[in-house]
């Protein structure tokens, strides 16, 4: 397996143990013990929470819930699922974006942007936890759009 990167073509093995990523959403002590040397700036769950989730999934798989008797929950991280996790890429948001692009409609794109920028959607991203301040709020000058590359 070869991987293309900005540094060229490398074999998969060259990435093993390279620690070229950050752990997001894991407690520092957990990362230090099980992923020694990996950077982690955003805290989250630790071994207790991971163990509880594992036990919960095992219970779902071998329990008596009639809804889960023939198949387990599939989640929904990237693809919408009726009982999956909430995420920004809802069927409505995707359909609105597709309509905007196909029609070349700025107004429909603004509708899509409003859906993605809503409080609910922003709460589902790390970026959504930050408040973006305007240049005027920080005493800086705006950059003209034609100066942006």
């Amino acid at each position: 397996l070869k991987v293309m990167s900005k540094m060229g073509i490398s074999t998969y093995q060259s990435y093993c143990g390279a620690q070229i990523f950050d752990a997001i959403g894991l407690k520092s002590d957990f990362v230090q013990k099980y992923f020694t040397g990996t950077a982690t700036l955003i805290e989250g769950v630790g071994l207790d929470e991971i163990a509880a989730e594992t036990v919960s999934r095992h219970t779902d798989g071998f329990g008596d819930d009639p809804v889960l008797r023939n198949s387990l929950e599939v989640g929904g991280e990237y693809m919408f699922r009726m009982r999956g996790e909430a995420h920004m890429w809802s069927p409505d948001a995707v359909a609105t974006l597709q309509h905007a692009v196909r029609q070349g409609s700025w107004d429909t794109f603004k509708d899509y942007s409003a859906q993605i920028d809503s409080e609910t959607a922003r709460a589902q991203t790390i970026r959504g936890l930050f408040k973006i301040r305007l240049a005027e709020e920080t005493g800086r000058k705006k950059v003209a759009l034609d100066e942006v590359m």
Side-chain angles (χ1 to χ4, degrees), residues 54-103:
T54 302
V55 168
S56 174
R57 290 177 188 262
H58 183 273
T59 301
D60 288 347
F62 295 98
D64 294 328
D65 187 336
V67 174
L68 303 174
R69 183 165 289 134
N70 295 320
S71 65
L72 292 174
E73 294 282 2
V74 293
E77 183 92 15
Y78 298 104
M79 183 174 174
F80 180 80
R81 306 283 188 200
M82 290 302 288
R83 295 186 325 242
E85 298 100 2
H87 53 85
M88 292 179 16
W89 298 107
S90 68
D92 288 339
V94 171
T96 304
L97 176 61
Q98 289 174 338
H99 289 302
V101 171
R102 289 179 183 145
Q103 297 167 357

Side-chain angles (χ1 to χ4, degrees), residues 4-148:
M4 293 277 302
S5 72
K6 289 183 179 183
M7 298 186 307
I9 299 173
S10 303
T11 63
Y12 168 74
Q13 289 82 2
S14 68
Y15 287 93
C16 292
Q19 294 181 315
I20 54 175
F21 60 90
D22 289 2
I24 299 175
L26 298 174
K27 286 185 179 175
S28 295
D29 59 344
F30 177 82
V31 173
Q32 188 57 38
K33 182 171 183 175
Y34 297 102
F35 301 96
T36 306
T38 299
T40 179
L41 298 174
I42 300 176
E43 294 281 327
V45 301
L47 192 55
D48 292 339
E49 295 87 355
I50 293 169
E53 185 174 323
T54 302
V55 168
S56 174
R57 290 177 188 262
H58 183 273
T59 301
D60 288 347
F62 295 98
D64 294 328
D65 187 336
V67 174
L68 303 174
R69 183 165 289 134
N70 295 320
S71 65
L72 292 174
E73 294 282 2
V74 293
E77 183 92 15
Y78 298 104
M79 183 174 174
F80 180 80
R81 306 283 188 200
M82 290 302 288
R83 295 186 325 242
E85 298 100 2
H87 53 85
M88 292 179 16
W89 298 107
S90 68
D92 288 339
V94 171
T96 304
L97 176 61
Q98 289 174 338
H99 289 302
V101 171
R102 289 179 183 145
Q103 297 167 357
S105 169
W106 177 246
D107 288 334
T108 306
F109 182 77
K110 287 192 284 188
D111 292 341
Y112 161 76
S113 293
Q115 289 175 352
I116 295 301
D117 290 339
S118 74
E119 283 297 319
T120 302
R122 284 200 323 263
Q124 298 166 6
T125 67
I126 293 171
R127 178 178 176 226
L129 300 174
F130 296 96
K131 179 186 181 317
I132 307 296
R133 296 186 302 171
L134 300 175
E136 295 82 18
E137 295 174 312
T138 61
R140 294 175 295 157
K141 289 190 332 182
K142 285 185 178 180
V143 176
L145 190 56
D146 61 348
E147 293 179 33
V148 178

